Amino acid sequence: MIHVTKTFLPPQQEYQEILKRAWDTGWMTNRGVLVKELETKLQSFLGAPNIIAMTNGTLPLQIAIKALGLKGEIITTPFSYVATTSSIVWEGCTPVFVDIHPEYLTIDEYKIEAAITDKTSAILATHVFGNPCEIEVIEGIAKKHNLKVIYDAAHCFGVTYKGKSVFNYGDVSTCSFHATKLFHTGEGGALFCKSNYFETLFSYHNFGHDGPEHFSSLGINAKMSEPQAAMGLAVFPYMGEILSERKKVVDSYNKAFASTKLQLLKIRNHTEWNYSYYPIIFEDEKQLLNVKQALEKHSIFPRRYFYPSLNRLPYIEQQRMVISESISLRILCLPLYAGLGSEDLNQIINIVKEQLL
């Protein structure tokens, strides 16, 4: 079977050798040496600001909303994974959706101001499939209206915009290290922030501790464990290989589909992309379903990222988002991972192209 992604697993012995360092000390959690080492390596590699490793990629969003004191309405995108919207609702705020750009698939920056009210406290935008938002425009709007900016950068490991890691932008950026991501810790994530927020965010992810016997604030447990960090440290040396192999797959897809009517993701200028996903957009949902069914007959399983459009979730007030709703019905992510062989890749391409005839 070929799935939309496949977890990169480093040699088991290498993972076990790293994990043994924690095993020998008996220190499995509470920010042991492996977590601290992983944070140091990632901060250097990414050229990113203050980093806090966490146990998954959703808690950083929830903690950011809580720690920044956000209330009322948060402007966000309807085209993202459900965690982007659910985190807003979970923290007692109201998501206000702004439709997306039809080519970049990120929030349409020129529709944001019309959605701002006296209840708006922040903008939570997603760099979709690792494709950056129009950062300068968003941050200009935020400054003008005194709003906080959080970027859901779950897909953005290694992505740079204008020569800097995308994690450098906004008041807070978050990332996922889930097993499906190109860099992973099995399950995990991280929060990146400006220095003036670091101590508060750090406290919030560690029960509010201020030393072993004191508590300075409200907090929850979002700490990354040592076994998770060990996986990250084992995967880390292979990042060059992972990115190179994913680029080859993307290049093959791009070449194969250039002459078709499929709409491909348009990467924003000044971006060094990370080949995190390969979405294709069909003319209509019927065509998508035909392709999906044809692939599945050959035990090839693409994924409808992101479906449904988040403005259609049952637990929020419904808002029409014409572009997002249309794209979500027509977009399909094809298999993309390091180790996808040329024979399998050609089979995927041929099946898709046959259904377009």
Side-chain angles (χ1 to χ4, degrees):
M1 290 191 295
I2 302 172
H3 292 281
V4 68
T5 189
K6 182 179 180 181
T7 302
F8 176 86
L9 292 174
Q12 189 173 1
Q13 182 179 353
E14 293 180 14
Y15 173 69
Q16 290 175 336
E17 287 173 357
I18 296 170
L19 184 60
K20 186 176 183 298
R21 293 165 52 196
W23 211 272
D24 289 344
T25 66
W27 194 324
M28 289 290 111
T29 188
N30 286 338
R31 293 187 55 78
V33 64
L34 300 184
V35 167
K36 293 176 183 177
E37 180 179 330
L38 180 64
E39 287 178 337
T40 298
K41 286 191 172 185
L42 293 181
Q43 190 167 2
S44 176
F45 175 77
L46 297 168
N50 302 286
I51 178 175
I52 306 172
M54 297 196 190
T55 194
N56 62 49
T58 301
L59 283 168
L61 287 171
Q62 296 174 356
I63 289 172
I65 293 167
K66 180 76 75 177
L68 294 179
L70 304 185
K71 305 290 183 184
E73 299 173 349
I74 297 177
I75 291 173
T76 191
T77 174
F79 193 74
S80 184
Y81 186 60
V82 68
T84 311
T85 295
S86 66
S87 294
I88 294 172
V89 177
W90 193 267
E91 294 303 327
C93 297
T94 301
V96 174
F97 293 106
V98 168
D99 215 342
I100 62 173
H101 191 284
E103 295 178 304
Y104 298 117
L105 308 184
T106 53
I107 192 169
D108 189 331
E109 63 277 7
Y110 295 110
K111 295 179 180 177
I112 291 175
E113 279 202 278
I116 295 174
T117 71
D118 58 3
K119 297 179 181 179
T120 306
S121 59
I123 301 167
L124 199 174
T126 299
H127 301 308
V128 180
F129 303 130
N131 195 22
C133 299
E134 186 60 80
I135 290 169
E136 291 90 348
V137 175
I138 290 174
E139 302 209 348
I141 292 169
K143 184 176 181 180
K144 177 181 176 181
H145 294 275
N146 194 29
L147 304 175
K148 296 290 193 295
V149 177
I150 300 172
Y151 287 114
D152 183 339
H155 307 160
C156 290
F157 189 92
V159 174
T160 66
Y161 177 69
K162 293 192 173 179
K164 295 197 302 183
S165 168
V166 293
F167 301 138
N168 284 281
Y169 299 98
D171 295 293
V172 174
S173 286
T174 70
C175 190
S176 172
F177 298 158
H178 188 268
T180 57
K181 302 299 187 287
L182 68 164
F183 172 81
H184 73 93
T185 56
E187 180 70 86
L191 180 150
F192 302 85
C193 65
K194 294 180 178 177
S195 295
N196 53 318
Y197 296 121
F198 179 77
E199 288 187 10
T200 300
L201 290 161
F202 187 90
S203 177
Y204 270 58
H205 106 292
N206 187 27
F207 295 108
H209 270 289
D210 181 12
E213 299 176 353
H214 298 90
F215 300 90
S216 60
S217 68
L218 180 69
I220 58 175
N221 181 13
K223 301 186 301 296
M224 178 177 282
S225 71
E226 290 293 88
Q228 288 176 300
M231 177 60 74
L233 289 168
V235 170
F236 183 75
Y238 294 93
M239 285 312 303
E241 176 185 328
I242 291 168
L243 287 165
S244 176
E245 289 197 29
R246 295 176 77 100
K247 182 180 185 300
K248 289 178 182 178
V249 175
V250 168
D251 288 345
S252 294
Y253 279 145
N254 283 342
K255 182 178 179 181
F257 299 136
S259 59
T260 70
K261 292 184 178 180
L262 290 171
Q263 178 186 334
L264 308 181
L265 179 65
K266 184 176 181 180
I267 302 298
R268 201 173 295 278
N269 290 338
H270 311 295
T271 299
E272 185 176 341
W273 192 44
N274 64 356
Y275 315 100
S276 52
Y277 293 85
Y278 196 84
I280 53 177
I281 303 173
F282 297 92
E283 294 179 315
D284 53 48
E285 186 180 23
K286 181 180 178 181
Q287 192 177 56
L288 177 149
L289 294 173
N290 288 340
V291 169
K292 185 172 181 286
Q293 184 179 42
L295 289 167
E296 289 174 349
K297 283 182 178 179
H298 291 81
S299 297
I300 300 167
F301 299 97
R303 185 75 179 268
R304 296 186 74 175
Y305 288 135
F306 295 105
Y307 176 80
S309 183
L310 296 177
N311 58 298
R312 309 305 297 172
L313 290 171
Y315 49 80
I316 60 172
E317 183 178 347
Q318 300 298 299
Q319 306 166 47
R320 282 303 311 275
M321 295 288 128
V322 175
I323 299 173
S324 179
E325 290 177 39
S326 174
I327 294 289
S328 70
L329 291 173
R330 299 183 289 117
I331 191 166
L332 188 70
C333 283
L334 297 181
L336 171 57
Y337 50 84
L340 181 60
S342 58
E343 185 176 335
D344 290 334
L345 180 58
N346 289 332
Q347 183 184 26
I348 294 166
I349 290 169
N350 290 335
I351 293 171
V352 172
K353 294 180 79 171
E354 284 170 6
Q355 293 301 311
L356 298 178
L357 297 176

